[in-house]
Amino acid sequence: MSDERPLLQVRNVGHRYGDWLGCRDVSFDLWPGEVLAIVGESGSGKSTLLNTLSQRLDTSEGSIRYRLDGGDVVDLADLSESAVRRLWRSEWGFVHQNAADGLRMHVSAGGNVGEPLMANGWRHYGRIRAAATDWLERVEIPRDRVDDTPAAFSGGMRQRLQIARNLVVSPRLVFMDEPTSGLDVSVQARLLDLIRSLVSDLGLAMIIVTHDLAVARLISHRTLVMKDGHVIESGLTDRVLDDPQAPYTQLLVSSILQG
Amino acid sequence: MNPDQIEYNIGYLDEQTKRMIRRVLLKAVAIPGFQVPFASREVPLPRGWGTGGVQLTAAVIGADDTLKVIDQGADDTTNAVSIRAFFHKVAGAATTTRTEDATIIQTRHRIPEASLTYGQIMVYQVPIPEPLRFLEPRETETRRMHALNEYGLMYVKLYEDIARYGHIAKTYDYPVLVNHRYLMAPSPTPSFDNPKLHQSQALHIYGAGREKRIYAIPPYTDVESLGFDDFPFEPQHFDQPCAICGSTGVYLDEIITDDAGGVMYACSDTYHCERTAARLNEEIPA
């Protein structure tokens, strides 16, 4: 998966809610196979940044350049709506904090996982179902639950189903917004383990937003720390968490309860 | 006031309204299967009883037209009789029950058994024009899906049917792709009638009065019923012939005959049934 060019080049990006800036002046490169964590307290602009990067919000300032599967580098702001939606369907995944936002709650698990395939033009029921069932197993959902709706699933299963639905089309880049919050601690640990192994098996690039430094520590290579819409510190995750430079990061790290 | 003193404009609707609807119809014919919004008017029947169809008929009918109205294939139900009488009164149009004599056929959910010919207009009364409505509740989103040709979601519905019942269980309002581009709800006609739309010689126009949408299938247009490669579209079929006229290969209604579970199956198209039964009697003189 090594390529000499970054997947995503973010330069001075900001998003404006009216006169209010949700985030501003964010720059970084994301390389294929890399996992980047965005941490910060609530209201620090990390979700706004994630939504701007994934083009769910528009880019008010700066530029986001993305290297397409074919190798061409495009500025996301120049893409048409249909081109962005094609990226959503085929090259990107987005895992919501609340699984109900990313799933169709009254469609069976198989239908939920199969929908992205059908959106990409799959028209063979047997193959769609086989692919969906395989993915359910990969996210540790028993095969015989394939016809149950997510409404009948536990929180952890819903979140794993959402991950399967996002990964079934073999995306190159996955955005995750607090995928583990709202789950109890043991389920969180298993889910993180699953995400980490899937990401390394598939060589995915991932941007994960979290307020939980332990999550960042466990799965990310690099970390951005945000406060008041600005990135105040960035670097290798271990460096940022073990040797925080910015006063705010020091505060954040020292506020973790020490067992 | 004496009802005889009321003067209605020809076709009941005023000329401006008819012009607006005709303009919308031209657009609908130009973009087969695309739902064109229109300013739906009040007509003297309740919303949901066919106001869309009545407005379309009113906009295209003239004194030299012959109108047939069917309700589930039957020419003799209250609604069919009343709408025929209405247009006879307000447009001076002739009415008929003979499919081949009609220039305009207003229908609620059947296409006649006799094959339609070039020059005939089928008018449909549509309750819900959006085929994706129960899958995606937001109108803004479904419009975008039509615009960007994103119809994967419709297949999710078909997938769910197969997963649950082993076959595609939808038997009416079965979604079609018109002219290889727009996904369209053919109004709640039985899927039995879907193949009749493909390359039909007649013009098919659809009016949804409450939802304020008009769409159309021009003559000789490709109309494909959706399906999977391994579960293709299968129109309904009936094993037994009509109990009255003996026709096979027609759409049958189930008629309960007693309280002991007795049923008979007879043609839903009453004109077709009468004609076939009459021919049968000629051939076998009593």
Side-chain angles (χ1 to χ4, degrees):
Chain A
M1 289 301 287
S2 64
D3 192 294
E4 67 281 11
R5 288 177 300 163
L7 196 59
L8 205 60
Q9 289 171 286
V10 180
R11 293 290 176 271
N12 310 106
V13 160
H15 177 79
R16 215 179 263 282
Y17 295 106
D19 293 335
W20 176 260
L21 277 153
C23 63
R24 77 175 310 176
D25 208 19
V26 177
S27 302
F28 65 88
D29 286 345
L30 184 76
W31 297 81
E34 185 179 37
V35 178
L36 176 74
I38 304 173
V39 300
E41 62 192 7
S42 64
S44 61
K46 54 192 195 304
S47 290
T48 300
L49 176 60
L50 194 75
N51 286 329
T52 307
L53 295 176
S54 60
Q55 294 293 292
R56 295 155 62 84
L57 293 175
D58 59 28
T59 316
S60 311
E61 51 189 45
S63 78
I64 307 170
R65 294 171 66 74
Y66 173 72
R67 184 160 57 78
L68 293 166
D69 205 7
D72 293 341
V73 177
V74 291
D75 194 319
L76 292 180
D78 296 340
L79 291 182
S80 65
E81 189 186 4
S82 71
V84 171
R85 287 173 75 109
R86 194 175 319 117
L87 283 179
W88 285 347
R89 278 206 301 276
S90 55
E91 297 196 18
W92 294 355
F94 195 103
V95 176
H96 295 261
Q97 174 172 8
N98 180 2
D101 294 341
L103 293 173
R104 294 188 190 278
M105 294 305 277
H106 299 289
V107 167
S108 70
N112 265 296
V113 180
E115 183 183 346
L117 298 174
M118 293 181 243
N120 280 317
W122 287 40
R123 294 290 180 264
H124 190 285
Y125 173 82
R127 274 181 226 137
I128 293 167
R129 193 172 172 81
T133 319
D134 280 353
W135 265 101
L136 289 186
E137 285 211 318
R138 289 184 77 168
V139 297
E140 300 168 19
I141 296 174
R143 297 182 83 95
D144 56 5
R145 300 299 299 272
V146 64
D147 292 330
D148 292 346
T149 64
F153 283 6
S154 69
M157 280 171 83
R158 287 180 191 177
Q159 205 54 282
R160 281 176 293 168
L161 183 65
Q162 199 194 173
I163 288 168
R165 175 183 159 96
N166 274 286
L167 297 188
V168 65
V169 292
S170 315
R172 305 167 69 221
L173 172 59
V174 177
F175 301 94
M176 291 201 184
D177 190 1
E178 306 261 16
T180 58
S181 61
L183 301 174
D184 70 51
V185 178
S186 64
V187 175
Q188 270 192 25
R190 273 182 59 200
L191 186 69
L192 284 173
D193 215 33
L194 180 76
I195 291 173
R196 190 166 59 167
S197 64
L198 286 174
V199 164
S200 72
D201 287 353
L202 301 169
L204 290 174
M206 184 164 83
I207 300 179
I208 181 167
V209 158
T210 179
H211 62 264
D212 187 342
L213 294 182
V215 170
R217 167 87 83 185
L218 203 59
I219 63 177
S220 71
H221 303 121
R222 274 194 308 144
T223 297
L224 299 184
V225 183
M226 291 192 72
K227 186 175 190 303
D228 299 333
H230 292 269
V231 173
I232 52 166
E233 184 160 7
S234 67
L236 294 177
T237 300
D238 287 341
R239 206 281 296 154
V240 171
L241 297 186
D242 291 340
D243 181 21
Q245 307 286 308
Y248 174 74
T249 318
Q250 291 168 358
L251 188 71
L252 210 60
V253 171
S254 65
S255 67
I256 296 175
L257 293 177
Q258 303 292 329
Chain B
M1 186 194 257
N2 181 353
D4 292 340
Q5 293 173 338
I6 300 174
E7 275 283 322
Y8 289 110
N9 189 34
I10 296 170
Y12 182 79
L13 296 175
D14 62 277
E15 292 301 313
Q16 285 296 330
T17 300
K18 288 197 284 186
R19 185 177 301 165
M20 174 271 292
I21 292 174
R22 287 174 195 150
R23 226 179 250 155
V24 167
L25 265 174
L26 288 177
K27 184 168 179 184
V29 168
I31 318 173
F34 175 71
Q35 301 166 44
V36 188
F38 81 112
S40 183
R41 297 286 196 259
E42 281 198 38
V43 286
L45 77 166
R47 293 269 161 96
W49 284 37
T51 54
V54 164
Q55 288 178 76
L56 285 180
T57 303
V60 298
I61 202 166
D64 53 349
D65 273 310
T66 308
L67 177 70
K68 171 183 165 84
V69 181
I70 50 174
D71 188 349
Q72 303 288 359
D75 294 286
D76 50 8
T77 62
T78 309
N79 216 10
V81 171
S82 304
I83 293 174
R84 270 205 306 276
F86 174 72
F87 282 113
H88 178 65
K89 184 174 177 184
V90 298
T95 62
T96 185
T97 58
R98 295 168 54 86
T99 304
E100 53 276 14
D101 291 349
T103 55
I104 300 171
I105 305 173
Q106 183 174 334
T107 174
R108 176 178 149 238
H109 317 336
R110 274 308 313 285
I111 300 175
E113 305 295 354
S115 49
L116 303 170
T117 53
Y118 187 78
Q120 288 185 309
I121 302 177
M122 286 288 298
V123 177
Y124 297 78
Q125 309 168 191
V126 180
I128 294 166
E130 177 51 71
L132 300 162
R133 176 58 63 238
F134 292 111
L135 301 159
E136 173 54 63
R138 289 168 293 178
E139 175 72 14
T140 48
E141 185 66 13
T142 52
R143 281 205 208 187
R144 196 168 283 144
M145 290 160 87
H146 283 294
L148 301 174
N149 204 352
E150 289 182 1
Y151 293 138
L153 189 57
M154 196 71 240
Y155 286 88
V156 174
K157 160 76 181 128
L158 304 182
Y159 171 96
E160 289 290 286
D161 268 10
I162 301 172
R164 203 164 297 165
Y165 307 110
H167 61 96
I168 298 174
K170 197 158 176 64
T171 53
Y172 65 95
D173 210 359
Y174 192 101
V176 293
L177 197 64
V178 179
N179 200 26
H180 311 285
R181 177 58 182 85
Y182 281 101
L183 183 68
M184 192 195 91
S187 89
T189 48
S191 68
F192 177 88
D193 287 335
N194 271 22
K196 296 176 187 166
L197 294 171
H198 179 63
Q199 288 290 331
S200 169
Q201 293 185 24
L203 167 67
H204 300 261
I205 56 180
Y206 296 80
R210 184 188 51 199
E211 302 286 326
K212 303 179 175 63
R213 295 287 184 278
I214 286 171
Y215 50 101
I217 304 175
Y220 305 108
T221 304
D222 282 345
V223 178
E224 178 200 352
S225 303
L226 301 188
F228 286 107
D229 296 346
D230 47 346
F231 284 88
F233 165 69
E234 298 256 358
Q236 294 153 290
H237 67 276
F238 300 88
D239 297 328
Q240 62 275 72
C242 168
I244 296 171
C245 70
S247 294
T248 54
V250 294
Y251 190 79
L252 301 178
D253 281 339
E254 182 187 44
I255 301 163
I256 310 286
T257 52
D258 55 31
D259 287 344
V263 293
M264 68 182 267
Y265 292 90
C267 289
S268 109
D269 185 337
T270 53
Y271 167 66
H272 173 85
C273 199
E274 279 163 20
R275 193 184 50 170
T276 315
R279 266 196 215 134
L280 215 59
N281 288 337
E282 280 167 23
E283 284 166 17
I284 317 161

